[in-house]
Amino acid sequence: MKRREFIELSGKSIGGLLIYSLAGEPIVLNAQENTVKVPLRFFTEHEAKVIVAACERIFPADESGPGATQAAAMIYIDRQLAGPYGTDKYRYTQPPFVESIPEHGYQGKENPQETYRAGIQKLGKDFSELDGAHQDERLGAIEKTHFFELLRQHTIEGILCDPMHGGNAGMIGWQLMGYPGPQMSFRGQMGKYNGLAYRTAPQSLAQVLRRHVKPWEDEERG
Amino acid sequence: MQSLDPVDVVIVGAGWAGMIMAKEIATRTSLSVLVLERGGPFRGLAAYAEEMDEIDTQLRFRRMESAAEGVFTSRSSYKDRANPIRQFGDYHPGTGVGGSSEHWGGTSPRFLPEAFTLATHLKELHGVRKLPDDLTIQDWGITWKNIEPCYWRAEQMMGTCGKAGNLNGEKIEGGNIFEGPRSNEFPNPPHVMPHMPVLFAKASKEFGYHPFPLPCSVLSRNYVSPDGVARVACQFCGHCAFYGCMVGAKASPSSALLPVLEKTKNFKVRTGSRVRRVVHRDGRAVGVSYVDDAGKEFMQPADVVMLSAWALNNARLLMLSGIGAQYDPVTGKGTLGKNATYYVHSFCDFFLDKPQNSFMGGGGMGMAIGDFSGDLPANGAAEGAYRGGTITAPARGIGPIVSFGRIPEGESHTNWGSAWKKAVLKWQDKSVVFLCGSTHFAYRGNYMDLDPTYKDRWGDPLLRMTMDWADADRKRDAFIAKKATEIAKAMGATGVRARLTTNRPPGTGSDHSHGGTIMGTSPETSVLNPYLQHWKIPNLWVLGASAFPLGEPTATLTIAALSYWAADAFIDRYVKRPGELA
């Protein structure tokens, strides 16, 4: 059996409580100091570190607010890749595989797991130890690849997904975007905030429904 | 293959088309009706609430048909090689009881009266010589007088919200004065409109246009249908198109028809049953064969077979069953697979300076103008476009991932990194869109047949879609998009940019597909007679948008109306005297 891999993340970097102000200035409060050990489902520890670093360059923490690391986007990607999506369980994979116009979408044979394994190698063993400028250089070199396209899309998903998928830790992404989560009703607000932002503390699906909801990637794990 | 107990009527597919027919037959006759549905049962409103998750439901298509099973292939010309749809993009095929009618948005406009006789109409207006040679649109074989009462029944069943603009010929401001005459006001009033559609209505009025609330089958108030089905008003949760409605406010087969069907004794739905063939002998259908989830094959005998498996699947089932002559784009002979159409549905993207709370709303909500719908004057940009279309300012409700990253052109030179992130945050929730929809004419080269290479999970060839845009489509698209950009600019928008549908090849994957088994006035030119009965096999009926001889942007209400139309013909005439109705 494969050795179980973990990644140690600083608690400071994930899930701090954030308040979205209308001026668009996010403030981190109540950050924890301890580290957390997160079990990995697909990535090796080294791969996870590369992905953390790459996601952070795609959506970095800066003066505009927290970034992909704080939202734990890598955890989301790790779980998606380990789930049915990662092995193309629901993609049409019958040959022949022939390239086509972009409108036909990805027509390749590689599944997302394979694309990530190969893509991470291209970024180089030392990727996570490089400084930001050098990391950007390497990412710039693969900007046009299918791997980068997936990584960029998954980074966004990992920041803005429901927390049950492993990303959007502390609903940081939703707070940054002013998204309130899957609320049951906006009947009281519809048509009353014309041109004004209606912002409320986000709630996850499990919080709204007051019950645990199993995401697809967990369902497939049994 | 195990042969099952015979039924009177077997219906393939539990979407709007089939479930309306099932409900009419089960409540108005004593015939036994069995609906075979490839997907699972209706899982209830609580399950729909649990699916308010953008990743699984909207991006991974968890509740839709699996692309792995084989969807269809597409190409632009009969000379090209087709590629399969490997993962879903614009194509969102529902599965399970209700089908795609569970996750549609509820947009419910009627077609214009002349759409049903458009071939004759255009010839009279422009003369045969001025029309493109390869145009293959033809009349439906029905008229407004036939379909209007059926539209009204569909609207009452769904509880459609809106404001009439033409009541028995009387034009009413505030509604769409360009619509065909309605016999009744809408069953429910329009919705409360958010910021952008309100601005759109104001700006359009200043142009002299006539904004109206887009007809929408998501309830604006609590409602009881003539069938006695009670549903509650929409909560504007923003999880509408792509999602099942967690309160049942959106009209769907599960919310509007199932409560009636469940009370009848002669109706049954059998899920996990994927029909592969219509079995026929000596010019009569004798039943269907299907495979269950475990791969076991069954023969379901029936006196009458009705297909309502979605447009492309209807056509494919007839092809796989060897029913009818395959259309050939070179000779123009054959009718099966003919007149494949899509929809011309371009976008006008722009940005407003104020937040829009775009996470609120509901699928079909919004304001629209019909000033450019129907015939266009033969001048300027309109020349060669023949027909116009509708411009809609929607209030659909949209999730944070699919709406992410919309920034005006030139705001960031990359699509990642700090500068890009700041631009995204600056424009977050300020990005809006107009939808411009118009007719897709049918052309000689646009058709469906079976793919020679790619097969589905059970070894049957996939359907192959061959389709390209024509000059008239491009001109129509560009004309309407231009009008939309003018309105956006007048609203004080920045970054206004039209995204034309016709810039990319069609048929690469949309659920808005029509044709293939078209209805018409002659067996020489159509597959079905005007009652949706097969010309050659009188006990075979084909329901849904596969019967449309042309494409319109929003087909659902017309699909529903046609099912009522066909149900009357079946119940009032065919059941009494089985045979050819035309």
Side-chain angles (χ1 to χ4, degrees):
Chain A
M1 202 182 139
K2 188 175 161 268
R3 189 175 66 92
R4 205 140 183 228
E5 304 258 355
F6 289 87
I7 186 160
E8 245 180 34
L9 297 173
S10 159
K12 229 196 286 187
S13 71
I14 53 166
L17 192 68
L18 220 89
I19 292 187
Y20 190 90
S21 80
L22 293 184
E25 289 290 319
I27 311 148
V28 180
L29 303 170
N30 192 29
Q32 303 153 17
E33 290 297 331
N34 55 325
T35 60
V36 280
K37 222 174 168 193
V38 182
L40 293 167
R41 294 184 186 178
F42 171 71
F43 291 133
T44 63
E45 188 186 350
H46 173 258
E47 286 172 329
K49 282 181 176 159
V50 172
I51 292 299
V52 168
C55 291
E56 182 65 17
R57 295 315 297 167
I58 289 170
F59 197 88
D62 56 20
E63 59 275 23
S64 74
T69 309
Q70 280 159 292
M74 181 278 293
I75 306 291
Y76 164 81
I77 299 172
D78 179 59
R79 292 183 186 183
Q80 286 292 311
L81 291 177
Y85 169 79
T87 51
D88 270 347
K89 194 170 170 190
Y90 299 103
R91 198 169 81 93
Y92 183 72
T93 50
Q94 284 197 26
F97 293 90
V98 182
E99 282 309 301
S100 181
I101 50 172
E103 284 77 7
H104 268 124
Y106 174 61
Q107 289 282 324
K109 193 179 176 183
E110 269 184 354
N111 68 29
Q113 285 192 351
E114 292 160 343
T115 301
Y116 267 83
R117 284 263 131 89
I120 290 169
Q121 283 206 345
K122 285 221 178 79
L123 286 176
K125 269 194 168 161
D126 55 347
F127 184 83
S128 59
E129 287 121 49
L130 299 176
D131 62 28
H134 284 96
Q135 287 175 335
D136 285 356
E137 233 169 70
R138 295 232 182 128
L139 285 168
I142 62 153
E143 218 178 7
K144 301 274 182 268
T145 62
H146 176 56
F147 167 60
F148 186 81
E149 200 184 306
L150 285 189
L151 180 64
R152 179 186 168 277
Q153 172 63 22
H154 294 160
T155 303
I156 296 164
E157 290 171 10
I159 292 161
L160 296 170
C161 64
D162 190 280
M164 70 180 168
H165 292 287
N168 189 17
M171 291 182 274
I172 258 180
W174 286 355
Q175 293 176 69
L176 196 57
M177 294 289 139
Y179 178 69
Q183 306 272 340
M184 289 288 116
S185 180
F186 293 116
R187 221 174 152 76
Q189 288 80 34
M190 186 67 164
K192 290 181 188 152
Y193 280 78
N194 291 336
L196 294 173
Y198 170 70
R199 300 290 180 259
T200 180
Q203 285 195 296
S204 70
L205 190 55
Q207 287 172 333
V208 168
L209 299 177
R210 298 202 184 96
R211 62 179 181 267
H212 176 68
V213 179
K214 219 173 188 186
W216 206 3
E217 63 274 14
D218 288 359
E219 197 88 48
E220 298 279 324
R221 287 161 66 84
Chain B
M1 192 187 305
Q2 187 187 339
S3 191
L4 302 162
D5 290 341
V7 294
D8 293 326
V9 183
V10 68
I11 296 176
V12 180
W16 275 131
M19 291 291 266
I20 287 171
M21 179 61 85
K23 188 236 136 194
E24 292 299 299
I25 298 173
T27 54
R28 288 162 62 186
T29 77
S30 55
L31 298 175
S32 59
V33 185
L34 171 68
V35 177
L36 296 177
E37 165 55 43
R38 70 181 174 195
F42 170 58
R43 286 160 293 112
L45 299 183
Y48 282 160
E50 288 191 357
E51 287 160 28
M52 290 170 69
D53 172 47
E54 202 178 5
I55 297 288
D56 281 350
T57 304
Q58 193 161 355
L59 295 169
R60 303 274 178 265
F61 307 102
R62 185 178 185 181
R63 293 300 174 193
M64 297 190 191
E65 187 191 12
S66 164
E69 294 183 357
V71 186
F72 64 92
T73 70
S74 72
R75 56 182 181 170
S76 297
S77 153
Y78 75 90
K79 291 172 186 157
D80 297 342
R81 178 184 185 291
N83 273 65
I85 305 296
R86 291 201 178 274
Q87 59 274 308
F88 298 142
D90 291 345
Y91 172 63
H92 316 126
T95 198
V97 170
S100 298
S101 317
E102 295 293 303
H103 73 255
W104 72 310
T107 310
S108 308
R110 297 174 170 194
F111 291 177
L112 290 172
E114 70 270 21
F116 300 95
T117 50
L118 195 64
T120 303
H121 178 82
L122 286 180
K123 275 172 204 155
E124 282 171 8
L125 203 67
H126 300 280
V128 180
R129 265 200 241 153
K130 275 189 83 183
L131 294 171
D133 290 341
D134 58 345
L135 204 63
T136 55
I137 48 169
Q138 49 191 63
D139 294 350
W140 301 47
I142 56 170
T143 63
W144 187 248
K145 226 176 96 187
N146 302 134
I147 200 76
E148 200 281 334
C150 300
Y151 269 136
W152 170 234
R153 278 154 77 188
E155 286 160 349
Q156 288 178 92
M157 179 268 290
M158 295 185 186
T160 308
C161 311
K163 170 100 184 76
N166 181 344
L167 211 47
N168 298 308
E170 190 201 336
K171 304 283 171 102
I172 302 167
E173 282 299 320
N176 180 13
I177 59 166
F178 303 99
E179 70 179 353
R182 292 175 179 274
S183 52
N184 298 87
E185 179 53 272
F186 281 88
N188 286 301
H191 283 277
V192 174
M193 291 295 161
H195 191 230
M196 194 278 278
V198 171
L199 292 182
F200 165 81
K202 191 167 164 277
S204 328
K205 265 191 190 160
E206 281 161 13
F207 275 99
Y209 306 149
H210 301 79
F212 65 92
L214 192 67
C216 167
S217 295
V218 182
L219 294 180
S220 58
R221 62 180 176 189
N222 297 346
Y223 176 70
V224 182
S225 76
D227 297 321
V229 179
R231 287 154 50 213
V232 301
C234 173
Q235 300 301 308
F236 307 114
C237 76
H239 293 74
C240 201
F242 288 93
Y243 299 85
C245 181
M246 48 95 188
V247 293
K250 175 166 67 180
S252 65
S254 73
S255 67
L257 296 170
L258 212 51
V260 186
L261 283 164
E262 278 168 344
K263 283 184 206 145
T264 61
K265 290 201 170 73
N266 49 346
F267 163 82
K268 246 194 215 155
V269 57
R270 192 178 297 148
T271 54
S273 309
R274 175 178 290 259
V275 172
R276 292 180 61 193
R277 297 287 185 282
V278 176
V279 184
H280 57 106
R281 214 169 287 140
D282 309 324
R284 280 191 65 77
V286 294
V288 296
S289 66
Y290 71 88
V291 57
D292 73 4
D293 287 341
K296 201 175 166 204
E297 287 204 80
F298 297 90
M299 166 67 197
Q300 177 60 61
D303 281 346
V304 177
V305 173
M306 294 189 173
L307 304 182
S308 54
W310 178 61
L312 300 194
N313 291 339
N314 283 350
R316 180 171 178 246
L317 274 170
L318 292 189
M319 290 170 191
L320 290 173
S321 308
I323 298 173
Q326 171 65 48
Y327 171 74
D328 180 337
V330 178
T331 63
K333 293 208 169 98
T335 52
L336 181 58
K338 188 183 163 183
N339 280 30
T341 57
Y342 190 64
Y343 64 153
V344 181
H345 207 162
S346 55
F347 304 90
C348 172
D349 297 313
F350 58 98
F351 298 83
L352 293 170
D353 59 355
K354 293 195 169 68
Q356 299 298 309
N357 301 317
S358 41
F359 46 82
M360 298 179 197
M365 290 170 205
M367 295 293 288
I369 55 166
D371 296 71
F372 304 105
S373 60
D375 298 315
L376 293 175
N379 62 12
E383 196 166 343
Y386 302 103
R387 301 277 289 174
T390 309
I391 300 168
T392 301
R396 296 187 286 188
I398 192 159
I401 300 171
V402 294
S403 63
F404 183 85
R406 293 181 186 168
I407 51 174
E409 228 166 328
E411 285 275 311
S412 171
H413 67 282
T414 62
N415 63 0
W416 57 282
S418 186
W420 166 75
K421 179 192 170 197
K422 283 170 191 161
V424 167
L425 290 177
K426 179 180 162 195
W427 292 102
Q428 172 62 18
D429 202 21
K430 289 168 189 156
S431 149
V432 276
V433 65
F434 289 157
L435 311 176
C436 312
S438 63
T439 313
H440 186 202
F441 292 167
Y443 302 92
R444 189 173 175 138
N446 293 350
Y447 73 107
M448 312 164 192
D449 63 357
L450 293 175
D451 192 276
T453 309
Y454 295 102
K455 296 187 165 42
D456 72 10
R457 195 178 128 194
W458 297 272
D460 289 329
L462 297 187
L463 187 101
R464 176 172 63 181
M465 169 73 75
T466 303
M467 199 184 277
D468 202 358
W469 298 118
D471 193 46
D473 305 325
R474 293 205 173 88
K475 284 184 170 156
R476 196 174 327 115
D477 201 16
F479 172 77
I480 302 160
K482 185 168 164 270
K483 295 292 173 192
T485 56
E486 286 168 9
I487 299 171
K489 282 176 186 159
M491 286 163 65
T494 49
V496 182
R497 188 173 42 182
R499 245 189 306 144
L500 299 187
T501 320
T502 49
N503 281 348
R504 58 194 183 106
T508 43
S510 169
D511 33 6
H512 285 249
S513 293
H514 325 95
T517 76
I518 62 174
M519 61 196 285
T521 50
S522 157
E524 300 303 311
T525 54
S526 58
V527 174
L528 309 175
N529 72 21
Y531 305 98
L532 305 187
Q533 182 186 36
H534 197 277
W535 280 114
K536 305 248 166 70
I537 301 183
N539 69 333
L540 174 63
W541 296 59
V542 185
L543 316 171
S546 59
F548 293 10
L550 48 80
E552 289 283 347
T554 313
T556 306
L557 194 76
T558 306
I559 291 171
L562 273 185
S563 272
Y564 282 109
W565 165 251
D568 285 356
F570 178 75
I571 295 164
D572 299 337
R573 294 180 58 200
Y574 182 90
V575 173
K576 285 176 187 148
R577 189 187 290 207
E580 294 159 14
L581 296 189

